[in-house]
Amino acid sequence: MTAASKITIENYRPEHFQALQGFVEIIQDTESELVPGLNSGAEIKDWYAQSLVDAIKSKQGVILVATAQAAAIGFVCAWVENDDKLVVDQARQCGYISDICVSSDWRGHGIASQLLDAIEKAMQKLGCKRMRLCAKRGNLAAIKCYEGQGYQTYETVLVKSLGT
């Protein structure tokens, strides 16, 4: 039995909130190493975790939590978005993955792929025909994972600092 087969993926419950805060902190600290000027994970974890919980209620969304032996080891959050009128009607409604994280001890065991598969199925049930997500350019491990799951670059966002 592989480590990945020992996990379950379940819908978010309020008792997962502390773990959600921890995952938010991990994501933000990872991204702040890649992007100068971001706040630390400790600074944003409380309000950002709450904003994810609020978003799934207001935006027809889902948070899924991966657990092993009753401990949260990862999560993914997505909600329904409608693209602008440049996209054909039948593909306009898409699922937007706002965040995904797997605990460092569980990386490399296919947990992120399982979370992506599960969130895609959940969003498909909500009528989504496509999925979208964003990743920081320097987060090569995440980008490799997403590409391995069939995601392709759709749009590139460029940033320029205008000084201090």
Side-chain angles (χ1 to χ4, degrees), residues 40-115:
S40 73
E43 293 174 290
I44 64 111
K45 68 180 183 179
D46 296 335
W47 73 261
Y48 192 77
Q50 186 60 54
S51 75
L52 293 177
V53 171
D54 294 343
I56 65 164
K57 293 175 185 172
S58 65
K59 297 181 180 182
Q60 195 178 7
V62 179
I63 296 174
L64 299 176
V65 179
T67 62
Q69 299 161 347
I73 61 169
F75 91 105
V76 62
C77 178
W79 52 74
V80 175
E81 286 194 349
N82 287 299
D83 273 341
D84 58 37
K85 294 190 182 215
L86 296 174
V87 178
V88 296
D89 288 345
Q90 46 283 36
R92 192 166 296 143
Q93 186 167 306
C94 68
Y96 176 71
I97 298 172
S98 67
D99 294 277
I100 182 171
C101 182
V102 174
S103 298
S104 58
D105 292 346
W106 286 88
R107 292 183 187 157
H109 295 285
I111 309 301
S113 295
Q114 288 185 39
L115 284 165

Side-chain angles (χ1 to χ4, degrees), residues 11-28:
N11 287 318
Y12 170 83
R13 297 187 313 272
E15 54 266 31
H16 294 131
F17 189 75
Q18 187 174 2
L20 184 63
Q21 290 172 304
F23 294 130
V24 165
E25 187 170 5
I26 291 167
I27 292 168
Q28 186 71 4

Side-chain angles (χ1 to χ4, degrees), residues 93-161:
Q93 186 167 306
C94 68
Y96 176 71
I97 298 172
S98 67
D99 294 277
I100 182 171
C101 182
V102 174
S103 298
S104 58
D105 292 346
W106 286 88
R107 292 183 187 157
H109 295 285
I111 309 301
S113 295
Q114 288 185 39
L115 284 165
L116 288 169
D117 287 342
I119 202 74
E120 289 166 9
K121 288 175 183 151
M123 299 313 290
Q124 194 171 30
K125 287 179 183 175
L126 293 173
C128 297
K129 305 284 188 225
R130 297 179 305 120
M131 296 296 295
R132 288 189 310 149
L133 57 80
C134 293
K136 298 296 187 263
R137 181 174 177 229
N139 196 344
L140 301 179
I143 293 168
K144 183 179 178 182
C145 174
Y146 304 146
E147 289 175 343
Q149 289 294 111
Y151 288 81
Q152 300 173 353
T153 301
Y154 171 72
E155 183 175 56
T156 302
V157 176
L158 303 172
V159 177
K160 178 181 177 182
S161 175

